Amino acid sequence: MNFYETDLAGIAHFSAYFRFMEEAEHALWRAAGLSIGAAEKTGGWPRVSAAFDYKSPLRFEDEFEVWVRVARITRRTLQYSFVMTMGETKIATGSTTVVCVSKAPDEPMKAIDLPAEILARFEVAPDSEA
Amino acid sequence: MNFYETDLAGIAHFSAYFRFMEEAEHALWRAAGLSIGAAEKTGGWPRVSAAFDYKSPLRFEDEFEVWVRVARITRRTLQYSFVMTMGETKIATGSTTVVCVSKAPDEPMKAIDLPAEILARFEVAPDSEA
Amino acid sequence: MNFYETDLAGIAHFSAYFRFMEEAEHALWRAAGLSIGAAEKTGGWPRVSAAFDYKSPLRFEDEFEVWVRVARITRRTLQYSFVMTMGETKIATGSTTVVCVSKAPDEPMKAIDLPAEILARFEVAPDSEA
Amino acid sequence: MNFYETDLAGIAHFSAYFRFMEEAEHALWRAAGLSIGAAEKTGGWPRVSAAFDYKSPLRFEDEFEVWVRVARITRRTLQYSFVMTMGETKIATGSTTVVCVSKAPDEPMKAIDLPAEILARFEVAPDSEA
C-alpha cells in the first residue's frame, strides 16, 4: 500500500479500496482476454453500486491480495465480489455491480443487453466463502 | 464536480463519491461544533463499511448537493446516510458506519464506547426518505 | 483541507496541491465566462508542465486561498502561476503550462493556435509578487 | 495505467504522475534496504518541490516505466529525478526535492541533517541523460 493512500490516522484511506476494486476487476477482464478500454468504444460500463466492509486496517507498505469473482450475471448487469487478504488476515470484503449502457454523445445513458462476446467470457464463480 | 474527478467515460469516477461522503460527514461534525481532527487525538474513527448506489451520472462542472444525516447510533458506532441530488434529480444514495477505537501507537485498534461529549452532539435524524 | 487529502505524516499530501491548482484554474475560466468542459468539445488542453514549491504544510481542516493569474500567453500555450496562502502564511507557489491541441479520435495530439474566443478573455496579469 | 487515473480527455490526469513519482521513490528506498515508513518514526520527509514536464500522453492500460535516480544530495535534502518511458517513447520527466525534518508533535517542522544511516545508502547517480 502506497504512502499517498494513507491518511492522518496512519492507515489506508477507505476510498482507496474502491480503486483497488477497480484494478482487480480490470485485471480479471484482461485475464479473460477482454479490455474495458476496447469495450468503452461501443458501450459504457457505469456502476450501479459499490460497497466495502472493512475488517482490518492496511498500513503503509503492507502487501495484500485482492480476490475477485463474478458473483452474478443478469441480462444487463455484472456483479463482482471481492475479498482482500493479507496472509491469513481478512482485510475487507466488497462488491460492485456494473451495467452495460449504450454510448451516444449528448444522450442520456440507456441500459442495454450485455454484448454476447463479453457474456461468453464470464461465468458465475462458485462462492468460495460458502 | 471537478475535472480531476472525471474518468475517460466523461463522468465522475465512482470512487470520488466516497470523498464527497467524507466531506459531508466532516461538515456535519463542524456544524455540530465538533472536529474529527480534535477527536483524532484521543481516538480513531475508522470505517466499518461504506456503500453507494448510483442513480444518475455527474458530469464535469455539475453542481450538486450532498445531504447527510445520522441514521443510527450504537454504543460504539455511528451510521450516516447520504442522498446526493442535483436539482430534482437523485444522483446517488449512500451510507457509512464508523466505529470509535482507542488510539495507542503500535497496538491493534480496539473498539471503545463513543465519547460522551460526542454522543451529546448527535441524534438520529428522522428518515426524510420515508 | 479534507481528511482524504492528508497522509500519515498528518499533512496534505503533495499531490493534492495539483488538484487545488486545477480547481483554481477552472474557476478562473468560469470567472472569464468560459468553460473547459465546452472547450474540450473542440480541442484538448493537456499540460506541458506542472510544478509546486512547498513552503509551509497544510493540516486537516486548514482553510486556505489559492490565487491564480495568467503569467504568459504564447500562440499555443497558456501559463498560469499560483500562490497558496493561509492568512499571512505562504503555503506554496506553483505554475503550470497548458497547450491547446486538436481533437481527432485515434490520432496523435497536435498543438494548434489558441482559439480567438478564448484568447479574447485572458490577458497576462501583472506579477503581484514583484 | 488504471481507469481511475484517466480523465474526460481520455488520458492520465496530470496529478497522477506525482503518485507514480512517489511509488518509484519509495521503491528506490526499499531497493536500498530502507523504508520511508520506518524513517517516518524519527523524522519526516516533506517535499520542498515537485515538478513534471509532460511529453506524450498515457492512455488507459498503457504500460510504462518510471526511472528514478538520486540527482543531488545536500546536508538536509535529497533531490530525485525521474524519467517515464513507454518503449522508446518518453512520456515525462520530473524531479522532486525532499527535506528531512525533526518530528515533534504540535511543533513546527524544523529541517535537520540527513540521518547517517540513510546518507550511507544513497549516492548521486550519473546523469543518464547527459
Side-chain angles (χ1 to χ4, degrees):
Chain A
M1 199 263 291
N2 293 301
F3 194 84
Y4 63 77
E5 290 157 345
T6 63
D7 59 32
L8 67 81
I11 60 176
H13 193 263
F14 79 102
S15 67
Y17 292 64
F18 294 92
R19 299 197 299 264
F20 304 152
M21 170 188 271
E22 185 189 273
E23 285 189 55
E25 174 191 345
H26 292 175
L28 179 70
W29 276 59
R30 282 191 295 272
L34 296 167
S35 161
I36 281 277
E40 274 287 325
K41 282 177 192 163
T42 49
W45 295 86
R47 314 267 132 175
V48 175
S49 65
F52 260 110
D53 290 315
Y54 305 93
K55 312 290 189 188
S56 185
L58 279 176
R59 294 178 195 283
F60 177 52
E61 296 194 330
D62 278 350
E63 295 188 12
F64 58 92
E65 301 287 330
V66 184
W67 305 90
V68 52
R69 63 185 188 85
V70 176
R72 191 156 175 256
I73 300 176
T74 70
R75 199 153 59 101
R76 295 173 168 175
T77 67
L78 283 175
Q79 186 188 326
Y80 305 91
S81 68
F82 301 84
V83 181
M84 286 173 54
T85 57
M86 189 167 57
E88 298 296 296
T89 306
K90 188 175 285 186
I91 299 300
T93 57
S95 68
T96 192
T97 300
V98 299
V99 61
C100 191
V101 299
S102 61
K103 203 157 186 176
D106 305 313
E107 271 181 41
M109 289 180 175
K110 195 172 154 290
I112 57 172
D113 288 2
L114 298 178
E117 69 273 22
I118 285 168
L119 215 42
R121 302 292 184 119
F122 289 120
E123 64 183 62
V124 172
D127 188 346
S128 59
E129 300 276 298
Chain B
M1 199 265 290
N2 293 302
F3 193 84
Y4 62 77
E5 290 157 344
T6 62
D7 61 30
L8 68 81
I11 60 177
H13 192 263
F14 79 103
S15 67
Y17 291 64
F18 294 92
R19 301 196 299 263
F20 305 151
M21 169 188 273
E22 186 190 271
E23 285 188 57
E25 175 192 346
H26 291 174
L28 179 70
W29 276 58
R30 284 191 295 271
L34 296 167
S35 162
I36 281 275
E40 275 286 326
K41 281 177 191 162
T42 49
W45 295 87
R47 314 268 132 176
V48 175
S49 65
F52 262 110
D53 289 316
Y54 305 93
K55 311 290 189 188
S56 185
L58 279 176
R59 294 177 193 283
F60 177 53
E61 295 192 329
D62 278 350
E63 295 188 12
F64 58 93
E65 302 288 329
V66 184
W67 305 90
V68 54
R69 62 186 189 84
V70 176
R72 192 156 175 255
I73 300 176
T74 71
R75 201 153 59 99
R76 295 174 168 174
T77 67
L78 283 175
Q79 186 188 326
Y80 306 91
S81 69
F82 301 83
V83 181
M84 287 173 52
T85 56
M86 189 167 59
E88 298 297 296
T89 307
K90 188 174 286 187
I91 299 300
T93 57
S95 68
T96 191
T97 300
V98 299
V99 62
C100 191
V101 299
S102 61
K103 205 157 183 175
D106 304 314
E107 271 181 40
M109 290 180 175
K110 194 172 153 291
I112 57 172
D113 288 3
L114 298 178
E117 70 273 21
I118 285 168
L119 215 42
R121 303 290 184 121
F122 290 120
E123 63 183 61
V124 172
D127 188 346
S128 60
E129 299 277 299
Chain C
M1 199 263 291
N2 293 301
F3 194 86
Y4 63 78
E5 290 158 345
T6 63
D7 60 32
L8 67 79
I11 60 175
H13 193 263
F14 79 103
S15 66
Y17 291 63
F18 294 93
R19 299 196 300 265
F20 305 152
M21 171 188 270
E22 186 189 272
E23 285 189 56
E25 175 192 346
H26 291 174
L28 179 69
W29 276 58
R30 282 190 296 272
L34 296 167
S35 161
I36 281 277
E40 274 288 325
K41 281 176 191 163
T42 48
W45 295 87
R47 312 268 132 174
V48 174
S49 65
F52 261 110
D53 288 316
Y54 305 93
K55 311 290 188 188
S56 185
L58 280 176
R59 295 179 193 282
F60 178 51
E61 296 193 331
D62 279 350
E63 295 188 12
F64 58 92
E65 302 287 330
V66 184
W67 305 90
V68 53
R69 63 185 188 84
V70 175
R72 190 157 176 257
I73 300 176
T74 71
R75 199 154 58 102
R76 296 172 168 176
T77 67
L78 283 175
Q79 185 188 327
Y80 306 91
S81 69
F82 301 83
V83 182
M84 286 173 53
T85 56
M86 189 167 57
E88 299 296 296
T89 307
K90 189 174 285 186
I91 299 299
T93 56
S95 67
T96 191
T97 299
V98 300
V99 61
C100 191
V101 299
S102 61
K103 204 158 185 174
D106 304 313
E107 271 181 40
M109 289 180 176
K110 195 173 154 291
I112 57 173
D113 288 2
L114 297 179
E117 69 273 22
I118 285 169
L119 214 42
R121 303 289 185 121
F122 290 119
E123 63 183 64
V124 172
D127 188 346
S128 59
E129 300 276 299
Chain D
M1 200 264 291
N2 293 302
F3 193 85
Y4 63 77
E5 289 158 345
T6 63
D7 60 31
L8 67 80
I11 60 177
H13 193 262
F14 79 103
S15 66
Y17 291 64
F18 294 91
R19 301 196 300 264
F20 305 152
M21 170 188 273
E22 186 190 270
E23 285 188 57
E25 175 191 346
H26 291 175
L28 179 70
W29 276 59
R30 283 191 295 272
L34 296 167
S35 162
I36 281 276
E40 275 286 325
K41 280 175 193 165
T42 49
W45 295 86
R47 313 268 131 177
V48 175
S49 65
F52 261 110
D53 289 316
Y54 305 93
K55 311 290 188 188
S56 184
L58 279 176
R59 295 178 192 283
F60 177 52
E61 295 193 330
D62 278 350
E63 295 188 12
F64 58 93
E65 302 288 329
V66 184
W67 305 90
V68 54
R69 63 186 188 84
V70 175
R72 191 156 176 255
I73 300 177
T74 71
R75 199 153 59 100
R76 296 173 168 175
T77 66
L78 283 175
Q79 185 188 326
Y80 306 92
S81 69
F82 301 83
V83 181
M84 288 174 51
T85 56
M86 188 167 59
E88 298 298 296
T89 306
K90 187 174 288 187
I91 299 299
T93 58
S95 68
T96 191
T97 300
V98 299
V99 62
C100 191
V101 300
S102 61
K103 204 158 185 175
D106 305 313
E107 271 182 41
M109 290 180 176
K110 197 173 152 290
I112 57 173
D113 287 3
L114 298 179
E117 69 273 22
I118 285 168
L119 215 42
R121 303 291 183 122
F122 290 120
E123 63 183 61
V124 172
D127 188 344
S128 59
E129 299 276 299

